[in-house]
Amino acid sequence: MGRFNYPHRDRRRGFTLCALLGLLALSLAVGGPALAQATRIIFLHHSCGENLVNQGSVREGLTALGYEFYDHGYNGDGLRLADGSYTGTHFDVPDDNTDPDGFATIFAQPLHDPPDNTFSHLMQYDVIAFKSCYPVSNIGDDYQLNEFKSYYLSIRDTMDQYPDKLFVIVTQPPQVPANSDPAEGARARAFADWLQSDEYLAGHPNVFVFDFFGLLAGDDNFLRSEYREDEYDGHPNERANREIGPLFVTFIDQAIQSYTAGGPRPTPAATPQPEEEAAQPPEEAAEPPPPAESGSSRPGDVVDDFESAAGYWGTNAEAGSTVECGPASGTAHSGSSALRFDYGVEPWGWVDCGRSFDSVQDWSAATGLSLWLRSDEPEKWFTLMLFSGDPEAASPFELEFEVTEEGWTQFVFPWEDLAQAEWADEGSLAEIEPARMIGYGFSAGAGEDRNEGTLWVDDVGPATGVEQPQPGPAPTSTPAPDAAVEEPEEETEEESGGGICPGAALALPLGAFGILLAGRRRR
């Protein structure tokens, strides 16, 4: 370790990380992500939306994540507060119309403060979600379909004017066959698909679309039979709302995190498995297991494939250096996204990015960590950081490596090659405990010249039986000038016994890195 030998690098870094981790612990103590505490969500809907909220535990789910969730139904029902109580007031939705033309009318209203129209009331919130009801799926011809698209293009023009707001369009529910026909159903599907297409979304980063239609509709483009109240009622039943409600909660959370972190859009939710089938174990797995987020992981499992916003990445940098880190599309080893770590490190400086898991990971069946890496330039050195042990006092371990090849290269780092970080608390573990993995991250440093570039990371997971690529020679570092030495060597040694945070254990709360990232990118 310490290949760069920057004078007092570890001690300066230690105190910065101490302050960082203290802030993270405080953020957790006051309850939930910093962004979530300040984020107010409004959902404008009619009866299908109300049933989704009530029967799908949407308010409970978003509240548990730290958000304030409000909703508004018909004017006669009006606004409900974050605690679920009715206010007896409403937003004066014109003609109670939440069809595409109605929303176009709302989004054409002027913005006033204090609010005196529907649009102005909606804009009092950070996240604005809205949906039409199932009669919108009765699209009689292509002219009407194009008319609906034109309404939503005008709505998008308005949303573009407010980049500090996040908008979630919820596609309309499908109709039942008794109240529609196959041609109408096909056009309803086409409308929902268009709203989710690049044609509508590309270049509009504050607009997201939750495909309520796609989750409810069968292959015939009508409301699935198991989701119907009866043959003539287009309202999705309680089972539909119970299964889709949690998906809606997850989507909104991922949309918020994706927008604030600059990562990829949320992955479309899969159609819920029928309840009677969910209780039956599958006879054989047709697909590989999904990325593991908590619990035990076997060798070959992928813990992070970066195809969604799950796992929020935090950053830390010495003054003057810059860093951006998070899932991004465009370059990937597999799928469409990878972690992108952009760094600009001033001479003798460093930057970090990392994440912690939602719960402790058990990787005891593996002998090391596998990951695919790509650098924008070869012969670049980085540090891998792994955190292990007690979640309340995680022990840091480090390993420096060089990316020597162009293109994607697999690295497998055995546990024994990771050494206790020099800045670890004196009570930290001497050896990594694979059965208790807390999180991981990456660091980049600089010598006498500025170091900048990009590292991509993909398909991270525990591994065994794979030969590790041979490291190249250690880089030759140029000693820093005497002026860079701010403290006598003896003082460093005297403080080393106190660890990174004198008088306190190194705390790495679960989910902590995400809190920093959310707070740093708070709009």
Side-chain angles (χ1 to χ4, degrees), residues 224 226-227 237-243 272-280:
R224 292 163 54 182
E226 64 268 25
Y227 283 168
N237 62 20
E238 182 175 353
R239 172 182 168 180
N241 295 316
R242 190 170 61 246
E243 293 181 0
Q273 187 179 18
E275 290 177 343
E276 59 269 18
E277 296 177 11
Q280 303 297 324

Side-chain angles (χ1 to χ4, degrees), residues 75 118 123 125 158 194 220 232 272 280 282 307 311 388 428 435 449 479 486 514:
N75 286 328
T118 309
M123 294 298 284
Y125 299 84
T158 300
W194 177 79
D220 58 1
Y232 298 94
Q280 303 297 324
E307 294 304 310
S388 176
S428 294
D449 298 321
E486 303 169 0

Side-chain angles (χ1 to χ4, degrees), residues 374-382 402-407:
R374 178 183 177 185
S375 176
D376 62 337
E377 295 181 10
E379 301 180 0
K380 286 292 189 82
W381 282 82
F382 304 93
E402 182 184 19
V403 179
T404 60
E405 304 292 333
E406 295 184 0

Side-chain angles (χ1 to χ4, degrees), residues 298-362:
R298 303 179 306 275
D301 285 348
V302 174
V303 175
D304 272 332
D305 64 5
F306 308 103
E307 294 304 310
S308 71
Y312 311 125
W313 288 77
T315 59
N316 189 28
E318 193 173 40
S321 297
T322 60
V323 58
E324 294 286 342
C325 186
S329 59
T331 298
H333 169 252
S334 66
S336 60
S337 300
L339 177 72
R340 178 171 179 145
F341 175 26
D342 292 317
Y343 55 90
V345 189
E346 295 302 316
W348 314 111
W350 51 266
V351 297
D352 295 330
C353 81
R355 64 158 297 194
S356 53
F357 301 123
D358 287 348
S359 63
V360 177
Q361 294 274 310
D362 181 1

Side-chain angles (χ1 to χ4, degrees), residues 147-382:
E147 189 177 40
F148 283 1
K149 290 181 179 180
S150 69
Y151 290 137
Y152 268 86
L153 288 173
S154 70
I155 292 168
R156 190 185 66 184
D157 289 343
T158 300
M159 294 187 290
D160 287 344
Q161 299 174 32
Y162 301 94
D164 60 332
K165 302 293 184 180
L166 192 154
F167 299 89
V168 178
I169 300 169
V170 180
T171 59
Q172 83 285 354
Q175 262 286 15
V176 291
N179 295 334
S180 185
D181 61 49
E184 287 187 343
R187 285 188 285 267
R189 170 81 72 175
F191 180 49
D193 288 346
W194 177 79
L195 285 171
Q196 301 168 77
S197 69
D198 287 344
E199 180 182 351
Y200 188 75
L201 292 176
H204 306 276
N206 64 328
V207 181
F208 294 79
V209 177
F210 178 75
D211 191 17
F212 198 33
F213 180 97
L215 293 170
L216 290 167
D219 293 339
D220 58 1
N221 301 318
F222 297 128
L223 184 64
R224 292 163 54 182
S225 59
E226 64 268 25
Y227 283 168
R228 298 176 196 167
E229 292 283 3
D230 57 49
E231 294 307 305
Y232 298 94
D233 189 346
H235 290 85
N237 62 20
E238 182 175 353
R239 172 182 168 180
N241 295 316
R242 190 170 61 246
E243 293 181 0
I244 295 174
L247 303 179
F248 186 43
V249 169
T250 298
F251 183 92
I252 291 178
D253 179 50
Q254 290 184 351
I256 293 170
Q257 300 299 339
S258 172
Y259 185 55
T260 57
R265 293 180 177 274
T267 303
T271 302
Q273 187 179 18
E275 290 177 343
E276 59 269 18
E277 296 177 11
Q280 303 297 324
E283 295 183 3
E284 79 178 271
E287 299 284 343
E293 180 55 35
S294 62
S296 176
S297 297
R298 303 179 306 275
D301 285 348
V302 174
V303 175
D304 272 332
D305 64 5
F306 308 103
E307 294 304 310
S308 71
Y312 311 125
W313 288 77
T315 59
N316 189 28
E318 193 173 40
S321 297
T322 60
V323 58
E324 294 286 342
C325 186
S329 59
T331 298
H333 169 252
S334 66
S336 60
S337 300
L339 177 72
R340 178 171 179 145
F341 175 26
D342 292 317
Y343 55 90
V345 189
E346 295 302 316
W348 314 111
W350 51 266
V351 297
D352 295 330
C353 81
R355 64 158 297 194
S356 53
F357 301 123
D358 287 348
S359 63
V360 177
Q361 294 274 310
D362 181 1
W363 295 350
S364 57
T367 59
L369 182 70
S370 170
L371 62 168
W372 286 81
L373 302 170
R374 178 183 177 185
S375 176
D376 62 337
E377 295 181 10
E379 301 180 0
K380 286 292 189 82
W381 282 82
F382 304 93

Side-chain angles (χ1 to χ4, degrees), residues 8 11 488-499:
H8 300 283
R11 195 167 73 82
E489 191 70 26
E490 291 77 8
E491 185 174 344
T492 303
E493 294 176 357
E494 288 174 4
E495 296 188 359
S496 64

